[in-house]
Amino acid sequence: MNWFALLDCDTRRPWVREDVEDILVKRPRACVPRGSVMLETRLSPDARPQTLISYKCDGATPTSFSLMSTPHGSLVLVIALGDDVVHEVVERGREARTDTLQVTISWDLAKKAGRLAVARPETEHVLIRHFAMTRAPLLADMVALAHPQGLTEIDPDVIFVALSTEIEPVGPMPTLSPSVPLETGQGVRLATTLKQGDVVRSANGKLVPVLHMVHRSVPSLGSFRPVRLRAPYFGLTQDVVVSRHQRLLVSGAEVEYLFGREEVLIPASALVNGYAGHYEPAPRFVTYHQLLLPHHDAVRIPDAALETLYIGRMRRDKVQLAASVLGDLPRALLPEHHRAGYQVLRAFEAISLAEARAA
């Protein structure tokens, strides 16, 4: 089933799969033995405490669910299913404050296990806590988290809430739409057609092998919102659609003059300014793809280059690797990436560069 409920908090429009509504009519006490709740939120700029989401139902099995952010940067999760209570805290610290957090709570009753993961969408950084979970939540209670009707309260800073029947991966994510054209040893091919063993052309013109292709379907909201990068800006000969955190590798005289570097990286979200890029209308869920290469590199598209998946030394961390989109791969087959050292431009710097190039 995968994703079965979604709330866009900006529009306050909930969505629930039709077959889930049928299940609730026929089996009001149906359970979710395996699944995830994903929530993305902005954090309070004045470091005030926030109850990001809370739910309480005094039924045959009293149930409550709450996720709170403290002024000290911690995330506190409390789940009560009858007499079974989960209380977990992820300590992030003040120095770890960021504009946006993505929180994923997952459980698998067959393993009597749960997981709380806190990620910063603009980086590969993720904190993970495991806990015991011995009772499956009711489907009706889970749907209520994304379909507030009096029993659920959601902070105005929350961007979206999404529910899945899978253990959703956390950490580095794919960011290329299926239609992105990539340069390979056999010419230009769409990202969705590439597979392990194919060769692609890196930013420096060399051909490098694809170690693995990853893909994932996600809500088209928040950090997953698609961005259309428009030609002819930044050397593009055709528009490309990517996730907002995909980064474009840019070079040229203007880059050297403004930043003293031969090449810089620009997040797609920094180019959403009405002409170099704009948010792309999308269906409720989108599928992104990405390449894993032997080194942290950028791959060529016609007259431009896009950064590929960066995993650092993830293979040394069994917990983070198991929770990632690469969790099914043997550690011995994964590379260790070192940052290429490119400067990543902030939004105002990206706009300045775009204006200098347009002049």
Side-chain angles (χ1 to χ4, degrees), residues 265-287:
L265 289 170
I266 306 178
S269 59
L271 296 175
V272 177
N273 55 14
Y275 53 95
H278 60 74
Y279 287 117
E280 178 77 354
R284 194 172 282 116
F285 297 94
V286 295
T287 299

Side-chain angles (χ1 to χ4, degrees), residues 217-230:
S217 295
V218 291
S220 56
L221 300 170
S223 61
F224 300 124
R225 192 173 179 184
V227 172
R228 177 175 292 272
L229 300 179
R230 298 179 59 207

Side-chain angles (χ1 to χ4, degrees), residues 94 114 122 146 198 243:
R94 287 183 179 274
E122 73 277 11
D198 289 334
S243 170

